[in-house]
Structures are given as structure tokens and as C-alpha cells.
Amino acid sequence: MVTPQAELNSATSGRAARADREEAAGMLAAIAEGRVQAGDAFAGSLEAEDPIFALPSLPFLVTSVADAKRLADIARPYLAAVLEKKGLRLLYLTPWPPSGIWSKTPLTTPSDLSGLSIRTYDKTSTEVFASVGAKAALISFSDTMPKLTDGSLNAVLSSGDGGAGRKLWDYLPWFSEITYSLPLSIAGVNKAVYDGLNADQRAAVDAASRRTETELWLALSTRLDENYARMRQNGVTIDSHPAPAIVEVLQSSAVTAQRAWCSKSGPVCAEILDSFKAGKP
């Protein structure tokens, strides 16, 4: 049980969340200004730069790797256009495995969600979990680990990939496979540097970028299997079929999040989502 003394400090969490967003935005600025020639950033952390960056992290919009790939392909020209305005050229998109809930105890009913003090990874996920009664905190992973140790966090929204890499099983032995989203990271290069290359060099960069992204998507299923194997070896119970009622509650809140994104993104919403939904099997 989380004690009053161990409750999350909202001011500290807010500063950490702002630091994460500023770091991601700072990466774009550093590339655009030529302080680094290339780099990548988690798209969800760039929402303040432009609503399009929040698209890959919208909850329950995609339900499979194939869905995520199709949405990424539709969104690519929009992402590229926004980056170009900021002085960057899009290189490739890095897909992340599906986000689920790492928790200290199993989740069996919707009421269990209100007992979560959960680390979230962007503004939308924070709002979604808060709306179902959870204590949601948008904080960095570096700030997450001490809070798992002192008990002020008892859950984390993350993929098996991110969780396995940080050995979340030391604190959270349950993983609910809710397929909240399959987020993206975005890799870009300084546009002036790219434009300064000769035609053969630009063609080589473009070919390497396409090859890298293709390999990342192909490796995603293998990453999932490897992560789940590691998780099970370390005592994690994976709930591949979470209670429908839990998913339904979160999906209801997700509708509000999608509508909010549409209101911020304007015509882009219909252009992207209509195309995406029209192509669903």
C-alpha cells in the first residue's frame, strides 16, 4: 500500500516531465542549429512542438504491428513536413513494441486501476490513466526507478522492451498486455548538412535510412518474443488476455484522447485517420 509519506510529489513530477519534453525538443533544436548533425527522439515527447508527434502514441488506435506500420507510413509525409520546417530531414522511424502495464499486483477488475500509482510516458497517457482513477505521473525513467524502490510508484506504462531493459521485474512482477499503443521514435538529420551532400551521398543516406527502418520493423516480432522470454525467466507473469472490462474502461477514455488530438491537429486528423481507418481489414 502506498503511504501518504510515499505519495508522488506532483511538483517534482511536473519538473521531470518538462525536462523530458525539453530534452526531446532540445534534440530537434540541436540538430537544426548544427550542434549535432543527427539524432532521434521519442515522438510523444515532442507533442508541444506539433500535434502530429502525438499521433503514434494515441491510445488504442493501433492494435497490431501491421496496424502500427500502416499508420506510420500514412503519417510519414506529415512528420517529414513538420521536421523540414524546423530545419531537419526525416531519416527513419523506430517502432516500439506494444505498451502494457507493469504492476506490483495482478489487474483483474477495472477498480484495480484506481489503485495504481503509475509512471506514464506522455501527456495523453497521463490524462487517460488519471481519468480512470489512477495516480498518473509523467516522469523520466531515471526518476522512476527510485520511486519504485520507495514504493511511491507501483506500476509503469511501458513495453516489454523498455521494462526488460530496466529490469522492472525487480519491482513489478506482473505485465498486462493491453496493447495501449505502439509508439515511435523519430530520427532526423540537419537538412542543410543533408542538402550539402552530393547526389550519390544523399542516395546512400536515403538507402541506409530505408534499410534501417525496414530492419527495425522486421525485428519487432523477434524483439517481442525475446523480451517475453526474458521476462518469464525473471519471474514475470504475463497476462496476454487481460480482463475485457479493464481494456474497455481504458478504451472509453482513449476516445476522449483521440478527439482532443483531432481538435488540436485540425484537417490533418481527418486526412490521416480517414485513410488509416479506410485501410483496416
Side-chain angles (χ1 to χ4, degrees):
M1 179 179 294
V2 178
T3 65
Q5 290 79 11
E7 287 185 347
L8 296 175
N9 184 297
S10 60
T12 301
S13 298
R15 286 194 295 272
R18 286 193 297 274
D20 268 6
R21 292 194 296 271
E22 289 166 2
E23 180 179 354
M27 174 60 74
L28 295 190
I31 297 170
E33 295 165 7
R35 287 182 278 127
V36 296
Q37 292 184 335
D40 68 2
F42 181 69
S45 297
L46 298 169
E47 181 181 2
E49 296 294 305
D50 191 280
I52 190 63
F53 292 117
L55 173 66
S57 300
L58 286 181
F60 302 103
L61 180 59
V62 302
T63 57
S64 66
V65 172
D67 263 0
K69 176 67 166 63
R70 196 160 49 81
L71 181 64
D73 288 342
I74 295 169
R76 182 186 312 280
Y78 296 87
L79 293 165
V82 171
L83 289 177
E84 185 168 356
K85 290 178 182 177
K86 296 180 179 295
L88 288 80
R89 179 180 174 84
L90 175 63
L91 290 176
Y92 57 85
L93 304 173
T94 300
W96 287 87
S99 302
I101 302 174
W102 290 75
S103 59
K104 192 169 185 178
T105 57
L107 305 179
T108 57
T109 68
S111 62
D112 292 332
L113 295 173
S114 62
L116 298 181
S117 293
I118 186 167
R119 179 262 180 183
T120 50
Y121 53 61
D122 61 9
K123 182 174 179 288
T124 300
S125 58
T126 305
E127 293 171 350
V128 167
F129 277 88
S131 72
V132 298
K135 187 180 295 181
L138 172 52
I139 57 177
S140 66
F141 252 119
S142 60
D143 288 329
T144 294
M145 306 314 289
K147 292 182 181 296
L148 289 174
T149 301
D150 68 23
S152 56
L153 281 179
N154 60 16
V156 169
L157 178 68
S158 181
S159 63
D161 196 87
R166 293 168 177 81
K167 299 183 179 180
L168 289 183
W169 49 66
D170 288 341
Y171 309 93
L172 309 173
W174 295 84
F175 182 77
S176 298
E177 194 181 60
I178 62 170
T179 312
Y180 173 88
S181 71
L182 284 84
L184 296 173
S185 288
I186 299 173
V189 64
N190 180 283
K191 189 174 183 301
V193 170
Y194 175 87
D195 290 344
L197 301 175
N198 64 42
D200 288 343
Q201 291 171 327
R202 291 197 299 271
V205 170
D206 292 344
S209 297
R210 289 192 298 270
R211 184 169 59 251
T212 297
E213 184 169 333
T214 297
E215 291 173 354
L216 288 169
W217 282 105
L218 289 174
L220 193 54
S221 294
T222 302
R223 282 170 63 188
L224 285 169
D225 292 341
E226 291 174 349
N227 286 332
Y228 279 6
R230 285 186 65 199
M231 290 161 68
R232 290 189 175 101
Q233 288 169 4
N234 285 276
V236 177
T237 299
I238 298 172
D239 185 357
S240 297
H241 302 285
I246 291 177
V247 177
E248 288 168 7
V249 166
L250 290 168
Q251 286 177 333
S252 295
S253 296
V255 171
T256 301
Q258 290 183 22
R259 287 173 179 164
W261 181 79
C262 281
S263 67
K264 288 184 287 188
S265 59
V268 169
C269 170
E271 292 170 13
I272 293 179
L273 295 190
D274 286 355
S275 178
F276 174 71
K277 291 172 182 177
K280 286 185 75 70

